[in-house]
Amino acid sequence: MTARVVETRNRPWRDPLAVADGLKHLVGPLALLSDGGALGRWSFVAAEPDQVHVGPLPSDGDLHRLGAPPFETGVVGLIAYDAGARAATGPRPEVWPDLMLARYPAMLAFDHRNRSVSVIGRGDDAAAARTAAERAEGWLTAARDPARPAAPAASFDAEAPSGTYTDAVADVVDRIAAGELFQANIARAWAGTLAPEADPFDVLLRLADRAAAYGAFWRLGDLAIVSNSPELFLTFDPHTRRIETRPIKGTRPRDADPARDAALAVELEASAKDRAENLMIVDLMRNDLARVALPGSVAADRLFEIESHPTVHHLVSTVSGLAKEGAGPADLLAATFPPGSITGAPKHQAMKVIASHEPPRGPWCGSLFHIEDDGRMTASVLIRTASFRRSGDGWRFRALAGAGIVADSEPEAELAETDAKILALREALNGS
């Protein structure tokens, strides 16, 4: 793979959401919008990719063989959950392409900590890189402060009755008691249509006051996603060879009363059920990372930390390892996808059980990833995510929320957890 020339320019701070709003009409608009917190220092905005792949995975599953574009710098990609689950579930109806990849010659990187913007141009030679940088710089001048739009969807309809979900939870609890598995993440889905004049970008604007570390908007052709994910799937630093994953397992809703809200966080941190659920996935992720890590390098760095988000508290752990020499982003994704936090344990059996209760998931609980110029990869878990498909009557959307089911799960409590998790997206889509 021939190294590309990169030209970088430093510019004063601009709001990345305002810049993204100014280029949403272009081809292939992309906004990776972080909250500026400890895990979300960087945001990225781009448009007009020069190479795109939307379609199936290679028949042998070898991600390295993709030629348009390969896994190289400036590439953003999305792997649908069902692409990774197929080995366990067998063929299922396709609701979303297995893999979306796009290479962006021009890109803006926003450093929330230092309040600066890097203008990035990439090309096969210095002249091409300079031209791409000029295009990216023009996006800064087109920035505009967006107004909060009205709710873009008239309805937010459950695809199945609540009883279908509680029955599924009860069935999984019975399967666990029978020794079939230890945990499975079971989801509910909602769907609807955007108003004729509305766009998926409107949903991102309505989530702006609830930004997460791995927020995103991406549109390629007639497909789009809006994600407000707080969950890191993988980071990879090619210089230190460090791989890190931060699975989320354990949730409580936020409360408007500060005392009650704090009590819910304390309750979550002390919950034996939630800690056990979290630890199962930590062990699963340790095993997944061990496939591509140096022997003895995989460790659980931190366990059971509380992260508080606008609508929920989460229990989060951190697992890391050192990648084997020669292992790159494609190897890491192939070894660990789909994320263990949204499948269960054992992973293969959990995916079979999920398929027995759910239609295909599409991009939800897949992964959105970005490979930077130094080869660093960041991949999120696509929770808190709505997918959109444009047809003759406008944009149709689908959104899901799930809960990890273990031996002592109570169906009604798990149902309530999915309601808490979908709340921000529900309000962003139709205001209710």
Side-chain angles (χ1 to χ4, degrees):
M1 180 169 54
T2 303
R4 306 187 83 206
V5 177
V6 180
E7 179 171 323
T8 304
R9 308 171 183 178
N10 294 321
R11 295 294 181 261
W13 176 258
R14 295 299 301 270
D15 177 16
L17 185 60
V19 177
D21 189 61
L23 55 81
K24 65 185 179 184
H25 64 285
L26 299 178
V27 173
L30 169 76
L32 305 177
L33 296 179
S34 297
D35 59 3
L39 299 174
R41 175 178 175 178
W42 292 91
S43 291
F44 300 87
V45 170
E48 301 174 324
D50 67 346
Q51 292 190 45
V52 172
H53 170 92
V54 178
L57 291 172
S59 58
D60 59 3
D62 185 0
L63 298 174
H64 300 87
R65 295 198 304 102
L66 287 166
F71 279 64
E72 61 178 31
T73 60
V75 165
V76 172
L78 188 159
I79 306 180
Y81 168 85
D82 307 296
R86 196 169 294 124
T89 65
R92 305 191 76 199
E94 182 183 290
V95 298
W96 194 269
D98 284 354
L99 184 66
M100 299 167 63
L101 288 171
R103 188 178 72 172
Y104 287 90
M107 183 172 280
L108 297 168
F110 301 79
D111 186 341
H112 292 262
R113 183 183 303 169
N114 293 330
R115 306 295 284 179
S116 63
V117 182
S118 294
V119 177
I120 301 168
R122 307 177 176 105
D124 294 331
D125 53 40
R130 188 176 308 113
T131 298
E134 291 289 344
R135 181 152 42 104
E137 188 139 23
W139 297 337
L140 286 174
T141 63
R144 58 189 186 189
D145 293 328
R148 180 179 170 86
S155 61
F156 191 85
D157 301 321
E159 290 185 347
S162 297
T164 301
Y165 184 77
T166 53
D167 288 347
V169 172
D171 176 68
V172 174
V173 170
D174 287 345
R175 290 172 183 251
I176 293 170
E180 186 177 334
L181 72 167
F182 301 109
Q183 180 180 164
N185 191 86
I186 303 297
R188 304 165 63 198
W190 296 260
T193 303
L194 299 189
E197 70 281 3
D199 184 89
F201 194 82
D202 296 340
V203 181
L204 183 74
L205 293 177
R206 289 177 57 83
L207 287 166
D209 61 347
R210 293 178 169 181
Y214 306 104
F217 167 81
W218 195 22
R219 187 178 72 234
L220 282 181
D222 293 329
L223 302 173
I225 65 157
V226 173
S227 182
N228 203 37
S229 174
E231 184 168 4
L232 173 69
F233 177 30
L234 293 173
T235 58
F236 170 59
D237 184 332
H239 308 293
T240 64
R241 310 298 296 167
R242 178 180 168 86
I243 321 164
E244 183 174 298
T245 182
R246 302 184 78 252
I248 290 175
K249 270 297 163 204
T251 303
R252 291 293 185 278
R254 299 297 302 269
D255 196 282
D257 175 59
R260 174 61 181 153
D261 188 61
L264 285 167
V266 170
E267 174 189 301
L268 174 60
E269 189 174 26
S271 167
K273 171 187 177 294
D274 290 289
R275 283 174 170 251
E277 183 180 340
N278 190 289
L279 191 59
M280 286 182 206
I281 302 307
V282 166
D283 286 342
L284 189 157
M285 295 307 299
R286 289 176 62 186
N287 289 335
D288 281 356
L289 288 189
R291 297 173 185 158
V292 285
L294 294 173
S297 70
V298 177
D301 300 331
R302 293 181 296 278
L303 292 173
F304 315 138
E305 294 185 318
I306 293 292
E307 282 188 8
S308 297
H309 302 277
T311 58
V312 291
H313 300 290
H314 278 315
L315 202 61
V316 185
S317 293
T318 302
V319 181
S320 68
L322 297 177
K324 296 175 182 176
E325 192 63 35
D331 305 288
L332 303 184
L333 290 167
T336 57
F337 189 82
S341 64
I342 48 73
T343 52
K347 182 187 279 189
H348 189 88
Q349 183 60 26
M351 290 189 292
K352 290 177 66 175
V353 172
I354 289 167
S356 73
H357 287 291
E358 297 180 31
R361 288 177 167 181
W364 185 78
C365 281
S367 182
L368 183 68
F369 62 88
H370 174 215
I371 303 175
E372 299 178 44
D373 289 306
D374 63 354
R376 178 181 175 84
M377 181 182 71
T378 302
S380 69
V381 182
L382 285 174
I383 57 174
R384 317 294 192 272
T385 297
S387 60
F388 301 80
R389 186 184 291 270
R390 182 165 48 193
S391 59
D393 60 349
W395 290 96
R396 290 278 301 170
F397 71 84
R398 189 167 189 253
L400 296 89
I405 311 307
V406 291
D408 53 351
S409 288
E410 297 178 0
E412 291 297 333
E414 305 297 349
L415 180 74
E417 181 172 318
T418 62
D419 284 330
K421 289 176 174 176
I422 203 65
L423 178 62
L425 267 178
R426 181 195 295 272
E427 292 178 344
L429 278 157
N430 86 323
S432 63

